[in-house]
């Protein structure tokens, strides 16, 4: 049997649907009369079970439309209602042709039996026809049903209002009784709030310092075990607070030499008001961090140290920059002093030379002066170029170029003596590459120049060019001194060379690879190095063929 359930209440609709389905019947559902009529014309049911109080088109209106429609008039329609439950409501329903009038709730089995009885075997029941046909009578009785329902709702609302007023009166009495107690407690509450606000401010300030300020703050108890750490301690040490609380600070956090420094500083307290020291903090991985600390202590009633406060800042980067500055000054001074000393020497020689010797020596001296002046100018221009790169970055002028020609020309124009054999191998099928030809030429020149410079005993320098995965691949390989693992991490830094001492064997400011890496990065490319000490190095540059 196909049953159409019409009810605007989702819970009731679902319950009725479930009951009918449990008896093996097929069920369709609608939320109001309009939807029920539309569904019936699409799939004619054997029985309609409808609520009366619904929006848009209620049950009475649905019944009239149902009985007036030739397509649905022969299908039984039963009302199942919890709102219109009076005898007058039932009489009006039967007058409109309702086939049954059931009041909610019914036992599930009783509802199933009533529905099956009404629909008949295989949906063979005969539907009732309306007895009320006079429109005026129908309208009057329909209006009376609505008015009665409104009166019933109004009466219920008045009862609810009366109950609410009674509850409010009782509440006012309770409020009046408790008002005195509240007023008595107000003074204490305000005082407590002030104290809590001050405590909260101090707590928030402390939390902010510990969690957000990147400071090294470590609080130790009298046994010098960690009781509190800041986010800065966790960052520097690479250990979480849970791993640090309760441990001996010196043995876990510090290098051996710094453990003695901290122990000495703590031993001096509280006789000394404050101690200052620099400590080497050992992270879980990586190089030690230098932390410049101020150490104080709190004392108990006997004047003994109760806890120690270690406040510090990570000075590793500042000291690195200071060392970098010192190395830079030393390197630039050395690189400029050498050609300048040569220039001064040749000028003095020129001043002391006379006669025929002056005529023969002047071209040689001028050439030497020009060479040293060019060297100094190149150093200054390299410094200025790096300054521009740091300030503005590299802005490549992109256009399609014959990269094989650029690589071959720039590599072959690097000076090398007979001890170095330079070969350039380019893939003949390489397409045009969108790049800045002058910048990429600078990359090749710097890499080949380094390959020659760091191959003091000669050897092959091989430059190759190919394409892989949509990228042009430029590789420069030498058979020189190679690069140690500890030097690779700073290889592309400014003013960085394998040997930064004033007596280093290889000249230059250590800017070439920095410039190379910045040019490659501006082309959305990558640069890698493979090297072992004594076995040479291979630098590989990859840039997109279609440009960045």
């Amino acid at each position: 049997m196909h049953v159409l359930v019409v009810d605007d209440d989702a819970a009731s609709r679902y319950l009725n649907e479930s009951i009918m389905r449990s008896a093996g019947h097929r069920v369709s559902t609608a939320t109001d009369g309009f939807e029920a009529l539309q569904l019936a014309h699409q799939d004619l049911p054997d029985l309609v079970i409808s609520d009366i109080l619904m929006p848009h088109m209620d049950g009475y209106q649905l019944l009239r439309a149902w009985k007036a429609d030739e397509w649905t008039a022969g299908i039984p329609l039963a009302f199942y209602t919890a709102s219109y439950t009076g005898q007058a409501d039932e009489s009006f329903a039967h007058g409109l042709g309702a086939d049954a009038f059931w009041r909610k709730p019914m036992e599930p089995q009783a509802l199933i039996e009533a529905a099956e009885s009404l629909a008949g075997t295989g949906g063979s029941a005969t539907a009732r026809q309306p007895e009320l046909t006079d429109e005026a009578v129908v309208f009057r009785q329909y209006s009376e049903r609505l008015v009665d329902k409104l009166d019933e709702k109004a009466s219920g609302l008045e009862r609810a209002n009366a109950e609410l007023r009674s509850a409010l009166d009782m509440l006012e009495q309770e409020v009046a009784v408790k008002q005195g107690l509240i007023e008595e407690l107000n003074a204490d509450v305000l005082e407590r709030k002030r104290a809590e606000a001050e405590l909260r401010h101090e707590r928030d300030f402390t939390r902010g310092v510990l969690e957000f300020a990147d400071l090294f703050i470590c609080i130790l108890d009298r046994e010098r075990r960690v009781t509190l750490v800041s986010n800065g301690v966790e960052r520097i040490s690479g250990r979480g607070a849970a791993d640090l609380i309760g441990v001996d600070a010196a043995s876990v956090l510090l290098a051996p030499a710094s453990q003695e420094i901290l122990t000495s500083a703590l031993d001096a307290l509280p006789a000394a008001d404050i101690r200052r020291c620099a400590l080497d903090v050992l992270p879980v991985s990586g190089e030690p961090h230098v932390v410049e600390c101020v150490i104080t202590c709190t004392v108990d009633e006997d004047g003994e140290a109760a806890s120690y406060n270690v406040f510090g800042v990570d000075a590793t980067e500042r000291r690195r920059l200071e060392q970098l500055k010192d190395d830079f000054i030393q390197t630039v001074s050395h690189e400029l002093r050498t050609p300048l000393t040569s220039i001064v020497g040749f000028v003095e020689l020129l001043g002391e030379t006379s006669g025929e010797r002056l005529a023969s020596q002047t071209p040689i001296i001028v050439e030497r002066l020009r060479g040293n002046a060019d060297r100094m100018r190149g150093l200054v221009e390299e410094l200025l170029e790096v300054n521009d790169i740091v300030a503005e970055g590299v802005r490549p002028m992109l256009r399609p170029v014959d990269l094989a020609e650029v690589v071959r020309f720039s590599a072959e124009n690097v000076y090398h003596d007979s001890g170095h054999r330079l070969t350039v191998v380019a893939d003949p099928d390489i397409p045009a590459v969108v790049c800045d030809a002058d910048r990429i030429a600078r990359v090749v020149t710097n890499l080949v120049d380094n390959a020659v410079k760091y191959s003091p005993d000669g050897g092959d320098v091989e430059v190759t060019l190919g394409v892989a995965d949509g990228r042009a691949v430029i590789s420069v390989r030498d058979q020189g001194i190679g690069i140690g693992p500890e030097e690779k991490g700073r290889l592309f830094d400014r003013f960085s060379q394998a040997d930064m001492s004033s007596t280093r064997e290889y000249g230059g400011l250590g800017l070439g690879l920095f410039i190379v890496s910045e040019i490659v990065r501006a082309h959305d490319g990558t640069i890698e190095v493979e090297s072992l000490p004594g076995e040479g190095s291979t630098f590989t540059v990859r840039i997109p063929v279609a440009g960045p």
Side-chain angles (χ1 to χ4, degrees), residues 106-120:
M106 294 175 63
E107 291 294 329
Q109 187 58 39
L111 179 60
I112 292 170
E113 291 174 356
E116 291 175 344
S117 175
L118 182 60

Side-chain angles (χ1 to χ4, degrees), residues 401-411 435-438 440-441 444:
V401 300
D402 183 348
L403 190 59
E405 181 181 349
V406 172
V407 170
R408 182 176 289 104
F409 179 81
S410 52
C435 65
D436 186 326
D438 293 337
I440 297 301
V444 176

